Amino acid sequence: MRILVVDDEEELVQTVLERLEIRGLTAAGVTSGPAALDVLSQGGFDVALIDVKMPGMGGLDLLREIRRRWPGMAVVLLTGHGSAQLAEEGLGLGASAYLMKPIKLEDLIEALRNAVQSGGVDG
Amino acid sequence: MADEPHGGDAGEELLFFGQAAAGLSHELRNALATVQQAAGLLEDYLAAGRAGRAVDPDRFAAVVARVGRAANRGLDQADLLHWLGHTVDRVDRAPEVGEVVRRVVALRQHAARVRRLTLEPRVPARPVTAVAGGTFALAAVVDRCLVRVMERAAEGATLTVTLDEDPGGVVLSVESDGVTGSAERGEDDDALAALAAGLGGGATWDDAPGERVRLVLRIPPAGAGDSAGPPTEPGTSPTER
């Protein structure tokens, strides 16, 4: 499972990447939506973990663009913004899960695995 | 907050309180997420050390420093939350307007960053206290002024929030250097006008089309009472469309 972590919290990205790698998972990280699209266009990723609230291109806009360009890619949303409306919108756009920060790494990995196993797009 | 002087729109005040609390919760969760993951990474390092694998002390120190930075960021948010909660306290002294402006700007920093806006408060070093109304009502109207200009500012703009005094009371100017993103005005302006009127003051748009968006809030001195009328400077009152 190859994971792309997208979050404007750079130190969180660095930390999560290192923890994933310690567990034998392959992961890369970026801090913006456009950077995520650049990396994804190189191919090889199974799932994207995306923060919802980012400067410029937000997580939901990024999700829409991923759906348009790579319809089968699994996406999990992670946010500190616990809005039911945002969660509904994200899941409606095809995210496999909408997770709240902070979250235990084991729970995060399980959600990522479930997203990949379910084939990306729910519903 | 039974004896707290209110602005003119309780719904708008609740909107301010709810949005501010939600924003603080978001920022606290971000800081805690970094603390949590960094603490987990330190545990991973310790487990590796116990298993006989070498752990680079510099990497360990870097993660400890990461925990410290995130914890301090969380403490800043907790401090803002504490302040926000106490804005409704019943106190005899007048609010320090400069502190209110600084705190409200801090509350909106994340929302501004998401929209690629820069907020620059310019507040006198001297205390500014001689206004009518309590801290909560003042914070609500300052916040609504900031939000209205943020809504109309173009992405990437810098918003200068300037507090000043003149014989007519306190003057707060919120000005965006970006080209106007939207010229729409409506119910939000009416709500802002009601909040300002609740403090005996008024809010006035003073735009330069294509160059800047500017909103000026005037609040009369404490004791001015009903003598404080609407702003008289050129411009368009939010209620005069």
Side-chain angles (χ1 to χ4, degrees):
Chain A
M1 179 167 69
R2 191 155 183 231
I3 305 160
L4 179 64
V5 180
V6 189
D7 196 316
D8 63 316
E9 296 278 333
E10 188 173 356
E11 293 203 323
L12 179 62
V13 172
Q14 291 172 357
T15 309
V16 169
L17 288 185
E18 192 168 349
R19 296 195 74 199
L20 291 172
E21 286 163 3
I22 285 171
R23 284 154 181 79
L25 296 164
T26 305
V30 292
T31 57
S32 73
L37 293 173
D38 283 347
V39 172
L40 288 172
S41 66
Q42 295 165 18
F45 289 93
D46 302 299
V47 59
L49 175 67
I50 301 174
D51 182 30
V52 174
K53 292 278 185 182
M54 293 186 289
M57 176 184 270
L60 294 183
D61 289 336
L62 175 58
L63 172 55
R64 286 188 191 93
E65 190 59 20
I66 287 174
R67 280 285 153 269
R68 190 179 71 79
R69 293 165 66 170
W70 303 284
M73 168 159 286
V75 172
V76 170
L77 296 173
L78 178 65
T79 183
H81 197 87
S83 154
Q85 183 184 344
L86 276 180
E88 190 176 325
E89 190 175 354
L91 296 174
L93 288 168
S96 298
Y98 188 95
L99 308 175
M100 286 292 295
K101 295 177 185 174
I103 183 171
K104 291 180 181 173
L105 191 71
E106 289 67 28
D107 294 337
L108 180 61
I109 292 172
E110 184 182 356
L112 294 169
R113 286 194 198 285
N114 288 341
V116 172
Q117 285 166 7
S118 68
V121 182
D122 276 3
Chain B
M1 52 191 284
D3 295 339
E4 177 82 355
H6 284 263
D9 190 318
E12 198 70 7
E13 289 181 337
L14 271 178
L15 190 63
F16 154 65
F17 198 83
Q19 288 180 349
L24 286 169
S25 165
H26 176 260
E27 286 294 274
L28 275 167
R29 283 180 176 277
N30 271 330
L32 286 172
T34 299
V35 170
Q36 180 204 43
Q37 293 302 327
L41 182 53
L42 292 174
E43 287 177 358
D44 292 343
Y45 288 165
L46 287 173
R50 289 193 184 106
R53 294 190 294 275
V55 176
D56 180 351
D58 288 340
R59 289 178 74 174
F60 197 97
V63 177
V64 168
R66 206 175 291 171
V67 172
R69 283 191 294 272
N72 285 334
R73 195 154 59 99
L75 284 172
D76 287 344
Q77 300 304 309
D79 182 48
L80 272 175
L81 182 59
H82 176 84
W83 174 81
L84 179 68
H86 285 284
T87 56
V88 298
D89 287 354
R90 290 160 53 176
V91 293
D92 294 331
R93 59 185 167 77
E96 205 285 280
V97 186
E99 183 190 16
V100 171
V101 171
R102 278 190 295 267
R103 298 278 196 175
V104 169
V105 168
L107 283 171
R108 285 292 169 188
Q109 284 291 358
H110 181 262
R113 199 163 62 246
V114 167
R115 292 203 54 214
R116 296 188 187 279
L117 300 173
T118 302
L119 304 183
E120 286 189 2
R122 294 181 183 171
V123 176
R126 66 182 185 282
V128 180
T129 58
V131 297
T135 304
F136 181 68
L138 182 63
V141 74
V142 169
D143 180 74
R144 294 295 97 179
C145 287
L146 190 53
V147 167
R148 287 298 289 129
V149 178
M150 285 171 64
E151 288 170 348
R152 298 187 58 211
E155 187 174 298
T158 294
L159 273 63
T160 307
V161 185
T162 307
L163 176 66
D164 210 341
E165 289 179 284
D166 68 16
V170 165
V171 182
L172 180 77
S173 162
V174 184
E175 179 173 333
S176 166
D177 64 357
V179 175
T180 306
S182 164
E184 291 179 11
R185 301 174 184 178
E187 290 181 2
D188 289 344
D189 282 349
D190 294 339
L192 170 59
L195 283 179
L199 296 174
T204 306
W205 287 111
D206 182 24
D207 294 355
E211 294 180 14
R212 66 153 196 251
V213 175
R214 184 168 185 243
L215 185 59
V216 179
L217 171 71
R218 290 180 178 275
I219 304 175
D226 295 336
S227 64
T232 55
E233 67 175 353
T236 306
S237 163
T239 55
E240 293 171 0
R241 292 190 303 276

